[in-house]
Amino acid sequence: MGTQRRFGWGSVAAAAAMALAAGVVNAPAAHTAEDPVEVIVDGNDVRAENVNGLTYKGLGVLSCNSTTNLLMDYKAQQPDRYWQLIKVLFGGKNPLINHVKIEMGTDTNTSTGSDPATMRTPDELADSSRSPGFQLAADAKTVNRNLKVSILRWEMPEWVQNEWDKGTGTDEMYKWYKETILDAYEKYGYIVDYVNPDKNETRTPDISFIKWYKNALVNDAEFADPRYGLTPRQQKEAAKAYRDIKITASDENTTKNIGPALLTDAELFGMVDAVGYHYTTDDRLDGTPDSATYRPYTKLATGENTYGQDKEVWYSEGVGSFGYTEYRVNNTEGPNGASTGIGGVQSALDLANRSVKSYANSKRTHYIFQPAIGSFYEGAQYSHKELVSARDPWSGYLHYDAALYVMQHFTQFAKTGWENDTNTAGIWRTVPEASYSGVSGTENVDGSNGAPSYMTLADPRKKDFSTVVVNDSDQPKTYRVKAENMRLGSDPTMEVWETRAADAGQAYDANFKHLADQIRPGGDGSYTYTVKPRSIVTLTTLDKSRDKATKQRLPKSGDRTVLDTDATGKKHNTRDDVLYADDFGYEEEGRVRVGAADGAHKVSQPYLPSRGNQPRYMVDQTGAWEVGKNAGGDNVLYQYMDQSMKDTHAWNRHTPNTTVGDFRWESYKATVDVSFPDPAGGLASLGVRQQKGMAISDAAYNVRIRPDGSWTFYEYGTAIKSGTVAASGTYRLALEAKGATVTAFVDGEAVATYEDPTPQTQGRVKLGSDFYKTGFDNLKVEKIDGYTPYTGTQIDNMDGSVAYDGAWSRKASLGDAMDWYRSTSTSTAAGASFSVPFTGTGIDVIGGNDGSAVLDVYVDGKPVAVDAKTSAVDKRLATYKLRGLPDGKHTAKFVLKSGKLVLDAFHVVTGEGRP
């Protein structure tokens, strides 16, 4: 078994002798679906001496690619809600999340958006406060001082990339890492715990650089450089913590090469502390059982390897729950059109099965969500796959998904985290012999086959244990759990905590994480319990029945209020002519509380310094967007990424653009002042009605202008009209979108008007530039007399208030990210109908459609349209609009006469704001 030996890499080489057994746990004995699953929890299998591989570390969150950008706005605009979120996710005796993993930004889009680079040039002082990840970790440490922080890169700033492409660049890479790490220490008081020196999702681990980096790290003695900004006391403390940073490798996705590399390279084995890979639950299975390519990660975690030492093995990037669980329970994906409840592929139960199977098959004891928190605007790549949705900082709306309750079945019934150097922290061990998963699939796993799926965690002192059982099938499953060689005390009662969907007539959350039963062992010492279909249970010997934290309900979501402010952009105001405004001065903003001193306390900082000068409510897709001073000393929003910083290695290659606003904005006029301080050139763009996508051309209507006065008006990426005005260093751009008519203005003069035969009618504002420093100021979004400025409530097609009749296919699994909450309801059956209750003056039917559907429409039981045609539209657009009703409560019924109809959501039109 693994030991507590902390070998150096030279010692490891000396210890190499022969490979031990692979530690493979066989499946339970063959049984029929009706037979009980026998689980033996043997105290002799609880490996208290295995302090790395089998300690259960719980869950982590990955912050990257704009996924947590709006959290800084929640902290400033809704501090009570923000700090409640921090407590829910990271706080308490049994934290849900123990680790913040930060993928360092490079101002380029490598997934859903861009995170700021901490160093844009080699001479710039590092600024970790630009990064929402470093701030999230600092704030999380105020409720969990034991929180781990790790960093890695995907791409790199251009000043590093230029040298790296020459075959050198190691010093530049090291400088970027080191100065960022020390800046986070200077600002927030913590040194990161882990660094992966290699590239995220590499297929060929850069072993030579990993070794080079480790040697540079442990031999670094320079901490007095004035660039670091550290006091003598800080220099001493930082030096020790810095040299103790652990190394992770290699965050592969489609390959699994680092495991065999560690098992065959003693020097590398001694340097790397944790290994992780993405989006699969399985180990590698090449070669013979005694080879380094056969179950290498199992061998690393168990310590049953050449070196006799156990290593941490992480599921270092995995998805969250797709869509909202309370919506997807209304699917028809089960047998004969039944619901799969909280289960099915990409569901909350899928997450639980991934955790179980990734442990059972490859001994991974840590699952990191990408993301756990979705705090970016919907419509970017990979939307709706998170545990918490935080996209409206102006309203404070936060949606805590039921998947959180499901994952608490693991974290609240064990002591999770990292064991200390003296092995006295009491972190619970995973028990391989009492864990197994037979569900199908490797990434999107499927438990409908009814195979056993369970994972056992045990106190290293053998006084308690918890077995988590997942049944994502439509049949009940009986388990018989027997404890042997355990010291359970005089009371052998076992509690059964359960989460499943509501029964008929119950509230949707009635069966979320509740005490379902208390059982005692039978005459043979076995606890017997039948797990209900589509549920998760934790069978635990802990006494949690009176624990308030275990029984605590998640906070309510609140309302998704539309962004409609006064002229300051801060205060909600529906009675004026302004939808939103930002002069980037932020005199109206107060101070912001920020975690400091390694979580020991919070400090109060001015608004812009608290957030690294990042602008309010903006989510960057590409580019370095930051508030700076112009020549007159006034605040201006600049896009700083110029030709010298331009990165050609981005995954999603777009010119710089950023997004702000509310997806429900409809008819409005957006205005912004632009300037061109870069003598090398420039381009500025303004777009309106953006719903999805990550380029400036994804704003339905956009106007672009250059310093020479040449301008072009676009519908998406298609040029509609172009022209020239007098050359100038500054311009005022405006776009007025009212109904199907869109007009572009330059310096107050209309230069183009477009009547769109198939208009995009809703969406946010986008700003954009080319790769030149470009200024933006005095952004203003105004209402238009006589036109509806926005719709109000959004109702999802899967919402329980929507009633369906006839043949409908209601799908949530493997849904498209451009469909709201990844769900749609589809019918081609004549006579099929749906009814939607709402309060307002109208309702829009949203969904990607081919225009073949013909509808009869009724309001409050009375016909209002016969043989109404629908429009052929893309996803997120209205295929049918019902308007002009008296303001009040209504029920609209739609009957499909012919054709095909796809329903995604419904947008309610209200009288709030403008007639």
Side-chain angles (χ1 to χ4, degrees), residues 562-582 616 665 667-669 779-785 789-790 912-914:
V562 177
L563 179 58
D564 185 351
T565 74
D566 62 8
T568 70
K570 183 174 178 64
K571 294 181 179 179
H572 184 66
N573 186 342
T574 64
R575 298 182 178 277
D576 63 4
D577 293 331
V578 177
L579 266 179
Y580 181 64
D582 195 344
R616 181 176 57 201
W665 284 353
S667 289
Y668 59 88
K669 182 178 183 179
L779 173 66
K780 193 172 186 179
V781 185
E782 300 171 277
K783 302 167 187 175
I784 301 172
D785 285 338
Y790 47 77
E912 184 178 15
R914 267 299 211 252

Side-chain angles (χ1 to χ4, degrees), residues 404-574:
L404 287 165
Y405 289 118
V406 169
M407 300 316 295
Q408 285 174 348
H409 276 267
F410 297 88
T411 62
Q412 287 196 335
F413 301 94
K415 185 171 184 180
T416 65
W418 276 254
E419 190 54 83
N420 60 27
D421 288 337
T422 58
N423 196 14
T424 56
I427 304 302
W428 282 30
R429 273 37 171 192
T430 53
V431 185
E433 293 79 3
S435 304
Y436 172 77
S437 182
V439 300
S440 62
T442 58
E443 179 188 349
N444 297 315
V445 299
D446 184 357
S448 63
N449 61 8
S453 186
Y454 56 93
M455 178 179 179
T456 298
L457 311 170
D459 177 356
R461 299 168 299 173
K462 308 178 185 180
K463 291 184 176 181
D464 282 294
F465 72 92
S466 298
T467 299
V468 184
V469 179
V470 188
N471 181 14
D472 193 7
S473 77
D474 295 292
Q475 300 297 320
K477 196 79 174 174
T478 299
Y479 282 75
R480 287 166 48 87
V481 181
K482 186 176 183 180
E484 297 178 351
N485 301 309
M486 297 288 289
R487 300 192 291 271
L488 300 181
S490 58
D491 183 4
T493 301
M494 174 175 278
E495 293 180 357
V496 181
W497 290 79
E498 176 192 62
T499 293
R500 57 185 175 86
D503 295 327
Q506 290 183 321
Y508 80 95
D509 59 352
N511 297 320
F512 291 170
K513 205 191 62 178
H514 67 286
L515 181 62
D517 206 348
Q518 297 188 64
I519 58 179
R520 296 177 67 85
D524 66 348
S526 295
Y527 299 90
T528 302
Y529 189 77
T530 299
V531 182
K532 293 179 180 179
R534 306 292 182 181
S535 72
I536 181 173
V537 300
T538 300
L539 308 168
T540 183
T541 60
L542 293 170
D543 181 2
K544 291 280 192 171
S545 61
R546 293 182 293 274
D547 183 60
K548 291 182 179 180
T550 305
K551 294 186 288 185
Q552 179 69 45
R553 298 289 88 184
L554 294 170
K556 297 297 183 183
S557 296
D559 296 326
R560 290 197 79 172
T561 307
V562 177
L563 179 58
D564 185 351
T565 74
D566 62 8
T568 70
K570 183 174 178 64
K571 294 181 179 179
H572 184 66
N573 186 342
T574 64

Side-chain angles (χ1 to χ4, degrees), residues 90-335:
F90 303 99
K93 293 191 302 181
N94 297 94
L96 179 76
I97 295 175
N98 287 318
H99 175 195
V100 174
K101 176 181 175 182
I102 302 164
E103 191 174 292
M104 293 200 297
T106 58
D107 298 316
T108 61
N109 188 320
T110 50
S111 187
T112 55
S114 61
D115 268 9
T118 56
M119 294 177 67
R120 295 185 174 122
T121 68
D123 297 326
E124 183 184 31
L125 296 179
D127 188 356
S128 60
S129 67
R130 293 170 179 163
S131 167
F134 284 103
Q135 289 208 31
L136 178 63
D139 295 340
K141 278 180 166 285
T142 65
V143 296
N144 181 359
R145 298 293 297 278
N146 294 319
L147 181 94
K148 300 296 182 183
V149 183
S150 67
I151 63 172
L152 80 165
R153 63 180 173 89
W154 193 328
E155 300 300 343
M156 60 192 84
E158 187 70 357
W159 62 275
V160 181
Q161 187 76 61
N162 285 334
E163 298 304 316
W164 196 262
D165 288 345
K166 298 175 185 176
T168 56
T170 54
D171 290 339
E172 287 77 10
M173 186 77 76
Y174 185 80
K175 177 179 181 178
W176 176 39
Y177 280 163
K178 179 181 179 180
E179 295 198 13
T180 299
I181 291 169
L182 293 182
D183 182 71
Y185 172 72
E186 191 271 331
K187 285 184 170 70
Y188 305 119
Y190 65 82
I191 293 284
V192 303
D193 300 281
Y194 293 86
V195 172
N196 179 357
D198 206 352
K199 180 178 180 178
N200 177 60
E201 296 196 344
T202 179
R203 296 185 180 185
T204 54
D206 192 341
I207 291 171
S208 63
F209 181 63
I210 293 172
K211 291 180 178 180
W212 182 95
Y213 184 88
K214 174 66 175 182
N215 279 308
L217 188 78
V218 298
N219 292 305
D220 196 333
E222 176 51 69
F223 294 90
D225 191 317
R227 290 179 58 84
Y228 308 151
L230 302 179
T231 66
R233 180 185 62 81
Q234 289 176 320
Q235 292 168 23
K236 183 177 181 180
E237 293 176 353
K240 181 181 186 306
Y242 182 83
R243 289 192 286 263
D244 286 341
I245 291 173
K246 295 182 178 181
I247 300 298
T248 62
S250 60
D251 283 286
E252 295 170 76
N253 184 5
T254 59
T255 57
K256 304 170 190 171
N257 293 320
I258 196 65
L262 263 68
L263 293 174
T264 55
D265 185 332
E267 182 183 31
L268 182 67
F269 186 94
M271 290 180 166
V272 173
D273 301 280
V275 297
Y277 55 108
H278 302 175
Y279 302 115
T280 178
T281 54
D282 287 349
D283 208 329
R284 187 167 171 175
L285 299 172
D286 305 340
T288 59
D290 61 347
S291 69
T293 55
Y294 188 81
R295 297 193 184 274
Y297 299 95
T298 296
K299 291 172 180 174
L300 288 168
T302 60
E304 296 171 349
N305 53 60
T306 302
Y307 313 108
Q309 185 181 3
D310 54 281
K311 294 286 187 182
E312 299 180 37
V313 183
W314 300 351
Y315 198 130
S316 52
E317 183 176 323
V319 298
S321 179
F322 283 56
Y324 284 7
T325 296
E326 63 262 40
Y327 292 159
R328 64 177 296 144
V329 297
N330 296 314
N331 66 57
T332 59
E333 296 173 320

